[in-house]
Amino acid sequence: MRLIRTLFFAVTGMLTPAMATAETLPVIQNVNAYECLSLNGEWNYIVDVQEEGYYDYRMKPTPWGFFRNAKPQKPEDLIEYDFDKSPTMQIPSDWNTKDERLFFYEGTVWFKKSFQAVPMQDYRTLLYFGAVNYDCRVWVNGQEAGHHVGGFTPFNFDVSDLLKEGENTVIVKVDNKRHAEDVPTQIFDWWNYGGITRDVKLVKVTPVYLEDYSLQLEKVKGGKGGKMREISFSARLNKAEAGHEVTIFIPELKIDKTFTTDAEGKIQSSILNVQSKKLTLWSPENPKLYQVQIILDNMTIADEIGFRTIETRDKQILLNGQPIFLKGISIHDEKANGGGRANSTEDAHQLLSWAKELGCNFVRLAHYPHNEYMVREAERMGILVWSEIPVYWTIAWTNPATYQNAQQQLTDMISRDHNRANVIIWSIANETPHSTERDNFLGRLAQYARSLDSTRLISMAMEVTGASNYLNRLNDNMNQYVDVVSFNQYIGWYRDVNDAPKMTWEIPYNKPVIISEFGGGARYGYHGDKNQRWTEEFQENLYRENCAMLDKIEGLSGTTPWILKDFRSPRRVLPGVQDYYNRKGLFSDKGEKKKAFYVLKQWYETK
Ligand code: GCB
C-alpha cells in the first residue's frame, strides 16, 4: 500500500505552503465511528455585508480575500480586517440567535478556526461539516478546500494535502442569501438560520476506507413462517480497488462473514442468513439495535443497526408485515425552548419526548433533513421517521442546476441515514404547484430516490386541488411515483372555517394515505370563544373537528399534524400574536402545552 503523509491533531512545527487543492467526496457513512478532532467551539467571525472579503471593487473574485487571513508584515501594510480581533461565536450554531445584530441578517459571514496538527503516516484527513446554511466556501491554510451548496446535508473534503505541521487555519465563508433557483427557493415558512449549524470535525481515515455500507433486512418471500431471514449487506470503498477484505461481525446474531471487494471496490449485495427466531425486529414497542462491526483491512467501524421491513399492501402500511397506523407530528429542526437551530442529543430528546407524550410513534422531520442526532435519538426511542428534502413551494422546475441541487441533497440525505431502521419514508417535496415541468422534475427525482434505496417508501406532501359540495378530491399526477399518497389540508384555518363536519374525501388511488399537515394557530394563554381566531379554544375545536373528519377517510394510514411547537418564521408578523412565530404548535415556543395537545393525544389513544 502506498504510504501517504498526512497530519493529525496537536503539536507544533514549521509552516510550508501547500500547493495541492482538496477534493469533494461522497459523504462518509457513519462519520462518528472514526477517530475525529472536533472543530466545534469558539470561531472568530466577520460580518461581510458587501462581500468585501471575496470580491474586489469591480465585483471580481480577489486573490487578496479574507481567506488569506493576512497580517501586516511591515508598519505601512494596509490590511482592513483581522480575524483574531473579531468577535467569537460558538459553533455549531446559527448567527441569528447568537448575535442580536444578526437576527434578520441574510448575507455573508466569515468564520475562522485555528488548530494544531501533527504529521502521521498512513492516514488521510477529511474535513467534515454536518451542515452549513446555505452556500459555503472553505479554505485550509489559504488554499481552497471546496465549495458546497445546500443548508441541511453533510459534506466532506479530503484536506490531507492542505494541512501542515503546527498551527493550521480553516476559514469558512457562509452566505445564506435566498435565490429563486435555490433549494429551497426564495420563499419558505421557516427561519433562514445562517451559519455553521452542525458539527465540524477532522476525520482520520485510511487511504482506502469504507465510503458506504448498507445492512437491510429482506422482506419475507412466499408468505410467513419461514425459518430463516435474510439480511443483505453491501459496501463501497472510496477507491475502485479489488481484493480488500471486508468482514461483517454481529456477535449477537453469530454473523461473522468476510467478503472481498470487486474491481469497482464494492461488495455487491450479499446475503447473510439468520434464524428467524433469533432475530428481534426493530419496532416502536421494542426498538432493538444490534451492535455491528464492519472491519476493512485493519480498521473497525462500529455501528448500531436495527432490522425491520416496511412495505405497503393496497391502502395499508406494513411494518414487519403488520398494518400500522402512523401516529405522527411534524417537527422543525429548532430547539425546544427559545428557538435557534437544534444540534444535540439533548435537543432531540426534548422534542421527541414531547412527541412521545402526545402518543406518537412517528414524526415528520419537515421540511429538510434534520440533524443526525434527531434521527439517531428517534431510532433509540422507537419513533419512525419521515425525512424530507427542501423542494418546497415554487422551485425553478426547468433549471437543470436546481434539479442537480435537489438530487444532490436527496443523495446526501439518503447516504447519511439509509442504515437507520426508523427512517421509513423519503419525501421528495412539499406543496408544489401542478405543471408538466414540475411532474418531470419530481418524477425524475422520485425514480432517482428509488434507485438509491428501494427498501423504503417514497412520498411527498401534495395538496388537495378539487373541492365542490363539500367533497374534496385529491388529483395529482405524482400519485404514480409515490408509495404513499400524502397531502396537506387546512380546513378550519385557511379554508372552510366552519365546515369540517360536512366534509368528505375522495382519494382515488389504491395506496395508503397520510395527512401530512393539518392545524391552525393559537397563542398560548389566549383564551376565548371557539370561534375566536388565535385562542387555544379555536385551535382545540379545529383539532376536534379535523380528527372526526379524518376518521372518515378510507385508507387513512397516518397523520402528521402541523406542528409540534411554535417555530420562528419571518412570514408571521402579526404583533402581539405571532411576533415572528408560526403559532400552529401544540406546544408554545417555550414548551407550554396548548389545549389542542390533549385533543390529539386522546385521538391517538383510539388508534
Ligand atoms: C404549509 C406548509 C408549512 C407551513 C404551514 C402553515 O402548508 O407546508 O411549511 O408552515 O402550511 O403554517 O401555513
Side-chain angles (χ1 to χ4, degrees):
M1 192 182 302
R2 197 160 60 100
L3 287 190
I4 293 181
R5 188 164 190 268
T6 187
L7 299 113
F8 226 64
F9 315 162
V11 191
T12 52
M14 275 305 297
L15 311 187
T16 40
M19 293 312 293
T21 52
E23 234 187 301
T24 312
L25 302 165
V27 177
I28 188 169
Q29 171 67 201
N30 188 16
V31 65
N32 293 316
Y34 291 82
E35 187 182 335
C36 292
L37 173 69
S38 171
L39 296 185
N40 290 352
E42 298 288 314
W43 289 53
N44 293 95
Y45 69 101
I46 300 174
V47 181
D48 187 9
V49 176
Q50 294 202 2
E51 301 199 275
E52 158 80 13
Y54 192 72
Y55 297 107
D56 66 14
Y57 77 127
R58 301 291 187 223
M59 243 349 241
K60 299 248 161 54
T62 168
W64 308 108
F66 290 179
F67 47 85
R68 290 178 76 102
N69 190 28
K71 303 280 177 204
Q73 304 296 315
K74 303 192 288 306
E76 65 271 28
D77 281 353
L78 175 65
I79 294 173
E80 294 184 88
Y81 67 96
D82 186 342
F83 274 107
D84 297 324
K85 293 202 173 114
S86 299
T88 60
M89 190 182 292
Q90 188 70 25
I91 295 300
S93 67
D94 57 273
W95 61 58
N96 315 77
T97 53
K98 285 289 172 197
D99 181 338
E100 253 175 48
R101 298 170 308 160
L102 302 182
F103 185 63
F104 288 108
Y105 183 68
E106 295 182 309
T108 288
V109 177
W110 294 79
F111 292 90
K112 186 220 114 179
K113 175 93 178 164
S114 293
F115 58 93
Q116 300 290 315
V118 64
M120 286 187 78
Q121 301 291 331
D122 299 336
Y123 291 97
R124 308 273 312 163
T125 303
L126 306 184
L127 174 56
Y128 178 96
F129 292 85
V132 177
N133 191 36
Y134 171 85
D135 181 305
C136 132
R137 291 183 185 277
V138 180
W139 292 264
V140 175
N141 298 325
Q143 306 286 319
E144 182 146 15
H147 177 213
H148 182 263
V149 165
F152 304 100
T153 39
F155 53 97
N156 42 223
F157 309 119
D158 183 341
V159 296
S160 313
D161 301 334
L162 305 183
L163 292 171
K164 60 197 183 194
E165 190 171 345
E167 182 164 285
N168 289 261
T169 300
V170 181
I171 289 181
V172 183
K173 171 183 178 288
V174 186
D175 181 357
N176 74 334
K177 285 193 284 301
R178 291 164 292 114
H179 305 100
E181 66 280 4
D182 287 349
V183 183
T185 180
Q186 221 153 8
I187 53 166
F188 44 89
D189 189 22
W190 66 85
W191 207 266
N192 185 22
Y193 289 117
I196 304 174
T197 52
R198 295 183 190 159
D199 300 342
V200 191
K201 51 185 91 189
L202 290 167
V203 187
K204 178 179 166 182
V205 292
T206 40
V208 177
Y209 62 90
L210 266 176
E211 197 167 73
D212 190 44
Y213 58 84
S214 164
L215 277 162
Q216 172 65 41
L217 181 65
E218 293 292 313
K219 284 161 204 145
V220 178
K221 290 168 204 134
K224 282 188 190 165
K227 286 213 172 98
M228 299 302 284
R229 296 296 304 253
E230 294 180 342
I231 295 171
S232 75
F233 170 66
S234 56
R236 186 183 75 232
L237 305 179
N238 63 319
K239 295 206 172 123
E241 283 188 10
H244 288 273
E245 291 201 333
V246 179
T247 301
I248 171 88
F249 184 42
I250 313 178
E252 228 183 312
L253 293 175
K254 300 204 166 38
I255 290 176
D256 185 355
K257 221 168 165 184
T258 301
F259 301 91
T260 308
T261 58
D262 63 15
E264 290 177 65
K266 289 183 178 166
I267 312 287
Q268 306 287 354
S269 185
S270 308
I271 294 299
L272 309 166
N273 288 305
V274 196
Q275 280 189 343
S276 304
K277 59 176 195 283
K278 295 266 165 67
L279 184 67
T280 305
L281 299 181
W282 186 99
S283 69
E285 297 74 39
N286 182 15
K288 166 73 184 167
L289 297 175
Y290 286 92
Q291 302 299 324
V292 172
Q293 287 179 17
I294 300 125
I295 305 145
L296 164 68
D297 301 329
N298 295 320
M299 187 91 169
T300 300
I301 305 305
D303 207 342
E304 290 190 316
I305 295 192
F307 299 105
R308 56 97 192 99
T309 59
I310 190 78
E311 60 201 307
T312 65
R313 187 173 58 207
D314 300 324
K315 284 184 175 265
Q316 289 182 322
I317 294 177
L318 308 180
L319 177 73
N320 297 326
Q322 299 300 316
I324 183 168
F325 186 85
L326 300 173
K327 298 182 265 187
I329 189 76
S330 296
I331 309 184
H332 263 296
D333 196 12
E334 198 177 76
K335 282 181 193 291
N337 297 303
R341 276 274 167 255
N343 186 55
S344 66
T345 301
E346 295 70 39
D347 291 340
H349 191 79
Q350 177 64 77
L351 293 165
L352 295 166
S353 301
W354 287 347
K356 275 249 153 175
E357 219 186 314
L358 194 56
C360 294
N361 57 14
F362 180 53
V363 288
R364 174 180 179 211
L365 302 183
H367 283 298
Y368 40 76
H370 284 210
N371 74 81
E372 192 174 350
Y373 298 108
M374 191 71 173
V375 180
R376 293 244 181 200
E377 188 61 9
E379 186 177 48
R380 282 189 284 267
M381 290 171 74
I383 300 177
L384 295 155
V385 163
W386 157 311
S387 190
E388 184 162 308
I389 52 168
V391 173
Y392 181 95
W393 290 355
T394 59
I395 291 291
W397 305 115
T398 54
N399 183 353
T402 304
Y403 178 81
Q404 283 313 323
N405 184 344
Q407 185 172 294
Q408 191 60 49
Q409 295 195 43
L410 182 72
T411 307
D412 294 336
M413 170 175 79
I414 295 178
S415 299
R416 195 191 70 182
D417 290 342
H418 67 78
N419 282 319
R420 302 284 68 80
N422 60 332
V423 178
I424 52 169
I425 294 177
W426 301 125
S427 166
I428 58 165
N430 179 75
E431 283 186 358
T432 49
H434 296 190
S435 71
T436 310
E437 292 75 23
R438 180 210 70 154
D439 292 354
N440 293 340
F441 185 110
L442 291 183
R444 197 172 155 202
L445 206 54
Q447 281 165 327
Y448 179 73
R450 213 176 283 290
S451 76
L452 293 182
D453 183 1
S454 60
T455 71
R456 288 180 174 77
L457 309 178
I458 308 284
S459 196
M460 59 183 266
M462 302 172 179
E463 285 178 310
V464 171
T465 45
S468 64
N469 292 330
Y470 304 113
L471 172 68
N472 297 279
R473 198 182 150 80
L474 184 67
N475 180 12
D476 192 316
N477 294 335
M478 284 301 296
N479 80 80
Q480 57 185 305
Y481 295 102
V482 296
D483 300 301
V484 177
V485 173
S486 309
F487 62 94
N488 303 347
Q489 65 82 15
Y490 280 92
I491 289 172
W493 185 255
Y494 291 126
R495 47 173 287 218
D496 317 298
V497 176
N498 296 309
D499 290 343
K502 295 182 213 152
M503 291 294 181
T504 54
W505 294 84
E506 194 177 289
I507 294 119
Y509 313 116
N510 189 29
K511 294 189 177 178
V513 176
I514 291 181
I515 308 300
S516 34
E517 288 178 29
F518 72 91
R523 168 128 203 170
Y524 171 76
Y526 178 33
H527 295 287
D529 192 76
K530 69 177 170 48
N531 290 321
Q532 180 64 51
R533 224 180 251 267
W534 305 115
T535 61
E536 287 192 42
E537 287 71 18
F538 187 105
Q539 190 192 36
E540 179 189 36
N541 183 54
L542 183 150
Y543 265 77
R544 201 166 274 141
E545 292 190 341
N546 263 263
C547 292
M549 176 186 74
L550 298 181
D551 269 334
K552 292 186 269 177
I553 296 183
E554 196 214 334
L556 187 72
S557 288
T559 59
T560 49
W562 195 253
I563 185 170
L564 183 69
K565 166 189 97 66
D566 292 353
F567 61 97
R568 282 211 167 103
S569 168
R571 301 172 68 85
R572 309 296 173 171
V573 298
L574 186 64
V577 175
Q578 294 176 312
D579 303 312
Y580 296 103
Y581 277 97
N582 183 316
R583 294 289 180 198
K584 296 191 187 72
L586 296 175
F587 286 81
S588 73
D589 54 295
K590 300 196 178 57
E592 297 131 329
K593 286 186 193 99
K594 303 180 196 171
K595 289 178 119 184
F597 169 92
Y598 300 99
V599 178
L600 186 63
K601 184 177 165 65
Q602 255 182 18
W603 190 58
Y604 279 160
E605 277 161 13
T606 68
K607 297 282 157 205

